[in-house]
Amino acid sequence: MKYYLITGGAGFIGSNFVKFMLKKYQDVHVVILDNLTYAGNLGTLKNELKDPRCTFVKGDICDQEVVKKIFSGYPIRYVVNFAAESHVDRSIENPQLFLQTNILGTQNLLDVAKKNWTTGKDEKGYPAYLDGVKYLQVSTDEVYGSLGETGYFTETTPLDPRSPYSASKTGADLIVVAYSETYKMPVNITRCSNNYGPYHFPEKLIPLIIKNILEGKKLPVYGDGTNVRDWLYVEDHCKAIDLVLHKGRTGEVYNVGGHNEKQNIQIVRLTIETVRRLLKENPEYRSACRGEVNSSEKKTPDNIDDWMNDSLITYVTDRLGHDQRYAIDPAKITKELAWSPETKFEDGIVKTIRWYLENQDWVNEVTSGDYQKYYEEMYGSR
Ligand code: NAD
Ligand code: TDX
């Protein structure tokens, strides 16, 4: 059995990674550490938690005792750190929490892992490590800042974060580099572009838009909608992390993403069109559509051509410091590890929308807490 500590495993990408690993490998045991913030949901892992190869620990990555206890309870050989505050808009409202979780949490994980993996010292005084151990930091393309109309982020693009979120992720990356240089700790950093797919929390663009379309609500597009993101289907990201973890050169950074650039407004239009088509073609999805009833018109699946269209789009006040364009050059991971995105955006978006249409219980569950309050605060005055 190989033991993995997967932090943030109840969130969007972390849960997809847990599912991927348990399915792909028989000889793995995953210990999930997650403190179940608004973004973490145990319902997402209900099948995995029945698997004896999966253990869930509710706890904070900043809590040294919790992390130490995991290392003394299990022979952890790999740490994959997904745990983070991940939403740019929330980071603009409350930067401190982002620095706390994303930077100090990362340092705490590194520290406990280093102590548990050290076997002695080499002749130069550097720590010597158990064979085969690795710490992987799941980072983001946002650490490189914002691009103009042309060009791509490569691993050597200077770090130039512009939001509290991206600054905190950059801080985390730098502390990982420090542990690699100072203590020769075996690490990798992956920097991925925007993910989409199942279990994405509906505060992020694609799942928020799907939810609002089904409810007949306005679709808030920040600024003029021309900002560009490079979208990657979440399973492709999981495959990249698996490759880097097992085959990546120690100490290296790998960019993950590639050539799926879309303007936000294109995404919104395509999503409206696809939801409408799927609802018309599949009567079994009709119950997912709870179009708002207002005084003048009733929005139901029977009359979706009348209301489920671009008239739902509303341009709202732009995000502060909104990065204009992200785009990844994945040449390094493609050349060294033979990774490339397998799911075309046109297929991935249909798969994703189908998943949301079929999993309304999940959406209702994760938005049953403070979601309405968040939505009012974030969008009420825009
Ligand atoms: P998410 O917000 O959906 O999930 C984060 C998870 O971390 C949640 O389960 C939450 O409960 C947990 N968590 C938060 N603070 C914690 C703490 N202090 N201790 C333990 N657990 C804690 O995020 P995501 O979209 O799945 O992103 C996962 C990682 O990937 C993040 O590090 C993010 O920066 C990075 N990333 C995300 C994207 C993307 O498009 N979503 C792209 C590139 C990189
Ligand atoms: O309501 C909205 N309207 C809108 O126009 C929301 C929520 C977003 N947007 C825009 C802002 C961005 O240009 O859509 C784009 C995507 O926004 P998000 O889904 O919030 O993602 P982004 O800010 O690009 O960050 C995401 O990708 C990189 C993740 O949330 C990060 O965790 C990851 O590092």
Side-chain angles (χ1 to χ4, degrees):
M1 255 328 164
K2 289 180 183 152
Y3 285 78
Y4 293 72
L5 171 57
I6 306 204
T7 69
F12 166 44
I13 308 175
S15 64
N16 275 283
F17 186 70
V18 167
K19 291 171 196 290
F20 172 84
M21 293 296 282
L22 289 172
K23 206 162 149 194
K24 177 165 180 188
Y25 299 105
Q26 267 316 305
D27 62 337
V28 301
H29 189 112
V30 298
V31 180
I32 299 167
L33 173 62
D34 197 300
N35 67 348
L36 300 179
T37 68
Y38 76 92
N41 189 282
L42 272 190
T44 302
L45 295 167
K46 59 177 185 288
N47 293 331
E48 291 66 36
L49 294 178
K50 292 180 202 146
D51 190 324
R53 299 174 302 147
C54 182
T55 306
F56 182 81
V57 177
K58 184 172 185 303
D60 191 328
I61 56 166
C62 302
D63 183 338
Q64 205 177 80
E65 290 314 309
V66 172
V67 184
K68 273 187 184 165
K69 213 165 147 195
I70 291 173
F71 272 87
S72 50
Y74 302 90
I76 302 291
R77 291 296 176 269
Y78 301 98
V79 176
V80 187
N81 182 24
F82 291 96
E85 287 295 333
S86 69
H87 192 33
V88 174
D89 291 330
R90 288 185 192 250
S91 84
I92 295 168
E93 300 303 315
N94 182 8
Q96 199 170 59
L97 176 63
F98 282 68
L99 306 197
Q100 173 74 29
T101 297
N102 298 359
I103 302 179
L104 295 179
T106 297
Q107 189 271 334
N108 186 45
L109 292 170
L110 285 162
D111 218 42
V112 178
K114 175 169 95 51
K115 284 178 185 140
N116 278 275
W117 289 344
T118 303
T119 53
K121 281 187 180 165
D122 71 11
E123 63 284 359
K124 287 187 178 155
Y126 288 109
Y129 293 90
L130 289 170
D131 280 343
V133 294
K134 186 167 285 176
Y135 176 98
L136 189 147
Q137 177 71 5
V138 181
S139 186
T140 167
D141 58 0
E142 300 200 15
V143 299
Y144 297 120
S146 181
L147 291 166
E149 279 181 16
T150 57
Y152 295 94
F153 297 134
T154 72
E155 289 78 2
T156 55
T157 302
L159 302 178
D160 184 25
R162 294 152 37 95
S163 74
Y165 164 71
S166 53
S168 71
K169 292 295 289 184
T170 308
D173 283 11
L174 293 177
I175 198 74
V176 175
V177 172
Y179 271 69
S180 169
E181 293 295 331
T182 307
Y183 309 115
K184 299 284 175 244
M185 187 155 164
V187 303
N188 281 122
I189 298 173
T190 54
R191 296 192 178 131
C192 190
S193 59
N194 284 57
N195 285 214
Y196 69 101
Y199 303 106
H200 205 182
F201 191 77
E203 65 183 349
K204 309 283 168 56
L205 180 69
I206 290 179
L208 184 135
I209 292 297
I210 298 172
K211 183 172 187 296
N212 283 16
I213 293 171
L214 291 171
E215 292 172 5
K217 277 195 190 151
K218 290 286 178 200
L219 311 178
V221 174
Y222 298 167
D224 63 5
T226 62
N227 301 68
V228 170
R229 297 292 182 265
D230 181 359
W231 294 93
L232 182 71
Y233 192 63
V234 62
E235 201 182 5
D236 281 329
H237 187 189
C238 295
K239 288 179 182 167
I241 290 174
D242 178 32
L243 276 172
V244 173
L245 195 57
H246 299 111
K247 298 191 176 143
R249 283 186 293 135
T250 298
E252 292 292 312
V253 173
Y254 292 91
N255 283 354
V256 184
H259 309 309
N260 252 322
E261 287 177 52
K262 304 271 181 245
Q263 289 188 340
N264 293 338
I265 189 66
Q266 289 178 286
I267 298 278
V268 174
R269 292 209 171 107
L270 178 65
T271 306
I272 300 171
E273 208 181 290
T274 310
V275 173
R276 193 177 59 226
R277 179 174 64 75
L278 289 177
L279 280 171
K280 286 166 95 168
E281 288 172 5
N282 302 275
E284 68 273 24
Y285 292 155
R286 287 169 62 111
S287 62
C289 177
R290 297 181 304 278
E292 236 177 14
V293 178
N294 66 27
S295 53
S296 58
E297 57 172 334
K298 202 164 184 208
K299 295 172 176 171
T300 73
D302 293 326
N303 62 352
I304 46 176
D305 283 332
D306 297 342
W307 61 270
M308 196 178 280
N309 51 46
D310 289 1
S311 67
L312 292 173
I313 295 170
T314 174
Y315 291 93
V316 300
T317 311
D318 208 355
R319 174 183 279 174
L320 301 180
H322 197 174
D323 288 341
Q324 181 57 36
R325 175 172 166 260
Y326 304 144
I328 287 268
D329 175 358
K332 179 173 174 180
I333 190 167
T334 302
K335 185 160 172 265
E336 289 189 16
L337 304 176
W339 178 90
S340 57
E342 289 170 29
T343 304
K344 283 203 228 102
F345 186 76
E346 290 63 29
D347 300 332
I349 192 73
V350 175
K351 267 208 285 207
T352 302
I353 293 172
R354 273 189 195 281
W355 186 88
Y356 278 90
L357 290 169
E358 289 166 7
N359 287 277
Q360 284 294 300
D361 287 352
W362 182 88
V363 176
N364 295 335
E365 194 180 324
V366 302
T367 54
S368 62
D370 281 341
Y371 185 81
Q372 292 309 330
K373 190 166 161 265
Y374 165 81
Y375 197 87
E376 275 312 307
E377 281 172 9
M378 196 58 81
Y379 294 95
S381 60
R382 269 194 141 115

